[in-house]
Amino acid sequence: MSKTVNGFSKFSKEEKINWLADNFFSNKKQGISTLKQYLNNDEALQQLHDEFIENTISNFYIPYAVAPNFIINGKPYAIPMAIEESSVVAAASLVAKFWSTRGGFNTEVISTTKTGQIHFMYQGEYENLRDYFYSVKEDLIKATEPITKNMRNRGGGILDILLKDKTGDLPYYYQLHVSFETLDSMGANFINSCLEAISERFRKDDINITMSILSNYVPDCLVVAEVSCPVVDLYKENAEYYANKFIDAVHIANVEPYRAVTHNKGIMNGIDAVVLATGNDFRAVAAGAHAYATRRGKYQSLTNARVRDGIFTFWIEIPLAVGTVGGLTKLHPLARLSLEILQNPNARELMQIIAVAGLAQNFAAIRALTTTGIQKGHMKMHLMNILNQLEANVHEKEILTEMFSQRDVTHNAVAEALHELRTNQQN
Ligand code: MEV
């Protein structure tokens, strides 16, 4: 038996599974049956998923849920979320309801420009390069015309091409910095195709093109979401004290990177869940968001908060390159349905909805952290995972859920209670 293989991608799905089972599964029968259990009986649907990537052998489920009662710019939304972490959707739903009676969320798209770069090495005189660039600039744009035709007809396309001298950072390094408006598509394929057409036209003997690729750093594709209310409406008791604690928590995330990363991770719990549910690229969004968090030379919070004249305001400013057409958005049936649940937003509206999901998540986390702590709520939501791990049956789950509504949830406490219950039932 060999744990390496040639021509794996050419194997049938059955052959791939058998090869894996022969080489890696401790219990072949069980492993194969787990893989097959997650395959869809609808052949066309399974084939669609098989063809998203190479070497598909099954599907990996994560829960798909919805957090209702979000009011965004006066309009109600139920926000679909795909995520495995127990407390995220519960937190989003609670916060949505909370702010729905306090004016809801207000949002604004600041800008929607995306960037692609052609990185190249050039050892000649800068003036010659600059003259060459300006002499071909029009042609560079012309070279993309077949690709940009539809986008231009809808009002998008290439906004500009700049020549940048980066030799201060790296000897001989220059770039063409290309800005794009990709309207309702995230635009990765569009941007990369344009860049390759431009670099083809731009290349010549003394220009050594290293690579042409979009940037997932999108500081000019920016959205802001905000909530505000009188401090007295924020907490039932000691509102001013807790509002100040909340603001201290945000300030801490602004000065302390260890905290900022966790703070922003909580924001991304909400953001990524919606990005994934709408068939968008959550790795691109996460990379861009975390990079933006370092824009002042230090990793900081993506949210901010203040109290002014008795009014508490909490907001997020985040770059989000997402689409509502192209990619998987219309191809994955659940992504399509997510967009329908969101009332078929355009990309600008989707940016605003996603920013709200991030802000809501951060609000929930900070509110819990600065009052009761997060473990109480988190472990309550995690109870079902513990019960499933311990293979509790429906009846046992019912009894223990009721029991732990009044008690602190820990793995040990649940295991002991289940053991006791089973012992009592036997006697
Ligand atoms: C857990 O997934 C996210 C939190 O740690 C975020 C935070 O600490 O702000 C609760």
Side-chain angles (χ1 to χ4, degrees), residues 21 32 102 104 106-107 118 125 188 209 215 219 257 308 325 332 358 396:
I32 291 174
R102 291 163 177 80
N106 289 304
T107 60
I118 296 164
E125 291 297 320
I209 291 175
S215 173
R308 198 175 283 165
V325 298
H332 193 300
E396 291 166 341

Side-chain angles (χ1 to χ4, degrees), residues 196-208:
E196 289 189 6
I198 293 171
S199 64
E200 212 36 60
R201 176 65 189 81
F202 188 63
R203 88 171 58 245
K204 67 184 180 78
D205 283 350
D206 53 354
I207 290 178
N208 187 4

Side-chain angles (χ1 to χ4, degrees), residues 85 259 262-263 265-266 269 362 365-366 369 374:
E85 191 172 322
R259 171 58 200 149
T262 318
H263 176 101
K265 185 274 181 185
N269 278 344
N362 192 222
I366 299 180
L369 287 166
I374 58 158

Side-chain angles (χ1 to χ4, degrees), residues 184-230:
D184 285 335
S185 70
M186 188 264 193
N189 283 329
F190 172 76
I191 292 175
N192 288 333
S193 300
C194 287
L195 292 173
E196 289 189 6
I198 293 171
S199 64
E200 212 36 60
R201 176 65 189 81
F202 188 63
R203 88 171 58 245
K204 67 184 180 78
D205 283 350
D206 53 354
I207 290 178
N208 187 4
I209 291 175
T210 313
M211 59 190 161
S212 309
I213 185 75
L214 95 166
S215 173
N216 290 125
Y217 187 45
V218 282
D220 295 318
C221 189
L222 203 61
V223 57
V224 174
E226 175 191 291
V227 284
S228 70
C229 74

